[in-house]
Amino acid sequence: MASNDDLACLRDLERKVLWLASWTIHNANHVRPNHDGLKVGGHQASSASMATIMTALYFATLRPQDRVAVKPHAGPIFHAIQYLLGNQTRETLERFRGYKGAQSYPSRTQDVDDVDFSTGSVGLGVAQTLFASLVQDYLKARGWAPDLPEGRMVALVGDAEMDEGNIFEALLEGWKHGLRNTWWIVDYNRQSLDAVIREGLWERLEGIFRTFGWEVVILKYGRLMRDAFAEPGGEALKRWIDTCPNQLYSALTYRGGAAWRQRLLDDLGDQGPVSRLIGKRTDEELARLMGNLGGHDLPSLLEAFEAAQAHDRPVCFIAYTVKGFGLPLAGHKDNHSGLLTPAQMEEFRAAQNVRPGHEWDRFEGLDVPADDLQAFLDAVPFAARGRRRYTAAPVPVPDALPVPAQKALSTQAGFGLILNEVGREQSPLAQRIVSAAPDVTVSTNLGAWVNRRGLFAKEVVADLFKRERIPSTYAWEFSPSGQHFELGIAESNLFTLLSALGLSHSVFGERLLPIGTLYDPFIYRGADALNYACYQDARFLLVATPSGVTLAPEGGAHQSIGTPLVGMAQDGLAYFEPAFVDELAVVMRWAFDYMQRNGERGEGQPDEHTWLRDESGGSVYLRLSSRTVEQPTRPMTAELERGIIGGAYWMREPGPNAQVVVAYTGAVAPEAIEAVGLMGEDRRDVGLLAVTSADRLQAGWSAAQRARERGLVHARSHVERLLASVPPHCALVTVIDGHPATLGWLGSVHGHRTRALGVEHFGQTGTIADLYRHFGIDAQGIALAAEAMSPGRPIRHLRMAGD
């Protein structure tokens, strides 16, 4: 337990943290000029309920190896703590929620202080800690990060945040994998954005967590309360507290000591001892007693945290708190977005002994001498190693990956074969790859890789089919040496695990190369978690397959339409859709390198090397197909490789008399090639452009335009150079098994007329030929579109439009 001197320091720091957080928000809303008239906000009440908990954690309990996901609305408390620890600046706090200021919610990539895990979309940071703990187990099982002690992954959770379904999906996965070293601390203030939490929620949470093997610690009563319960009449007071409805407790907290006194005396009556217990306390003392819940009592919190450090089992702390604790709006049901008025802030300033003009002073108005507080902060265990961001040595990537020799192959099957060949070797690359799938390992062609490298578990689990001599294609055994996480059917868990694996180099100092596979249409199921992973700058390879209406017999429920646009729009994710397996091998090799680049994302200042596109690294999304297509026989030249990575290359360069160019992406390559052959009956010089990445093409084009706007007048992007040779009168026909907008912008590069073909509506069951004809993306549909754009001599055997 903390000494009396340490406890005095902690109590002063608790006051200062609450003041700084509240003042930061007030400054942003009432002091800083507001030029656009919009409310800035900042969640003073939600921050206040976490002040004591976070003081106990950061200044006493946490160690450098521990990692924390801070409740989004407690961001100001986090920034205040980092300011006191020297990791945050006054200038950044003064710009809170402003341009280049401290972020509304803690951000690994946008904040200057030591954020472990970004939060914002509620529930995701909570699950991130669970999967980070599993990643730590994975590293330790392999003997990696030997100098880094095992840390606890801690989530600070709002009680209303527990409504998020992804949290409970993660709980189940944690149970399957034997979760350890994880703390979730629920800020049980019993108020959500719009309402008061339902009665008895804590009992439901306790039951759920215990079912999944967690220890549950209820922090309901502080020291003042427990001392009062020991007095004559204390049992009656405790019974009243335990049965008081959440709404009433909040309302009385807001109204203060006189209201507490009247209500308690009315409900408990003249019972002698309990009346004396209440009567001997002033209104101020009574309000302090009734607000002394476990989540606002430093000794209770320190004691509970210390006890939980004795083991590595996962722990859920349910800490009773008051929303807005210590502020004039404490307990009011409308306080979630409420702000202290200037008059209320002046009252709060006076109560905190803060002089005007000294609002940002670190030790202003505190009781313990500044030198003593600084000495205490200098000795805080959590800050002993300074900023806790690690770097990891790059994993060597070979100059080329093996290309399967089959004459006909799908990109999905090609992916499995390439990865299997990588897995044959005990190379650094093969050792650092870790794969995961939400119960679609076999159907996304990871089976051969898993056969070779095994499934991960902390304990060996034998394949009973193999032991019983039952023939099976897949001989899967779980062991600490396995390199595949087999997940349940929950795409959100996949993306959150990829986020945790993809931050291993920074969080744990060990580089991993994660590969996650899922069905392409189900990207939407985990889109929030995917966005979250990219926002954190996690690095992974996402392989989504099968895709599009090409998965014809499966029907509309399994056919994706808009996912290419997701790939183009998602920051931090480079989208590719190769048609052929030799292209895929080039992209995969590039992806393993791109995932390891250490530059910070962002535009930066363009120069002749960097203006083309953001090359600072990121994650990669491959949209693959289960359609078997004939593979080209060609050498992989340096020029072709550059084109594939740049986003496009000419399969057939247009001549000077070209009237039509067909640009295609992905599985519709055979139809595009056939259509160009049909058009060749009456046209010369028809061009065929293979687009491997609409994302890379468009990003390069946008970057070139920005560069020219900034004075680099000779800047030209890859797509501008490719299309420069296309005559101005030529028409473009683009085609993709996906939304036509993916390629529809190509005509804007040099002003060519464009017809964009693709899929805009839900599909149905049928053959590929049926569905391609239905959506007009078969060879005849492409040729008809070209005929309408640039009439020539009628091509024989073309169906009539509308057939």
Side-chain angles (χ1 to χ4, degrees), residues 117-140:
F117 304 117
S118 299
T119 51
S121 184
V122 295
L124 295 177
V126 183
Q128 176 85 17
T129 61
L130 183 150
F131 287 105
S133 182
L134 298 185
V135 172
Q136 180 176 241
D137 284 346
Y138 180 85
L139 296 173
K140 294 299 181 180

Side-chain angles (χ1 to χ4, degrees), residues 65-69 117 128-134 136 150-155 180-184 507-508:
Q65 63 268 29
D66 298 329
R67 298 286 176 166
V68 187
F117 304 117
Q128 176 85 17
T129 61
L130 183 150
F131 287 105
S133 182
L134 298 185
Q136 180 176 241
E150 286 190 351
R152 285 189 177 81
M153 306 297 119
V154 180
R180 304 183 308 129
N181 291 319
T182 304
W183 287 3
W184 288 359
V507 174
F508 301 114

Side-chain angles (χ1 to χ4, degrees), residues 562-584:
T563 49
L565 300 179
V566 173
M568 293 182 70
Q570 180 61 62
D571 187 23
L573 189 70
Y575 149 62
F576 287 84
E577 190 167 350
F580 303 111
V581 176
D582 62 349
E583 299 170 352
L584 174 61

Side-chain angles (χ1 to χ4, degrees), residues 411 547 550 577-579 624-627 629 664-671 737 772:
T411 49
S547 62
T550 304
E577 190 167 350
L624 304 184
S625 173
S626 54
R627 185 189 188 190
V629 298
Y664 75 87
T665 285
V668 295
E671 282 65 35
D737 181 4
Y772 278 18

Side-chain angles (χ1 to χ4, degrees), residues 27-60:
N27 179 76
N29 286 274
H30 294 295
V31 179
R32 194 173 69 209
N34 186 337
H35 299 294
D36 55 20
L38 294 177
K39 176 183 175 181
V40 178
H43 304 287
Q44 282 173 323
S46 294
S47 290
S49 63
M50 289 297 300
T52 317
I53 294 171
M54 293 176 66
T55 296
L57 281 173
Y58 280 95
F59 295 132

Side-chain angles (χ1 to χ4, degrees), residues 138-162:
Y138 180 85
L139 296 173
K140 294 299 181 180
R142 311 186 79 76
W144 295 341
D147 298 328
L148 185 66
E150 286 190 351
R152 285 189 177 81
M153 306 297 119
V154 180
L156 304 175
V157 193
D159 49 5
E161 194 171 5
M162 293 301 297

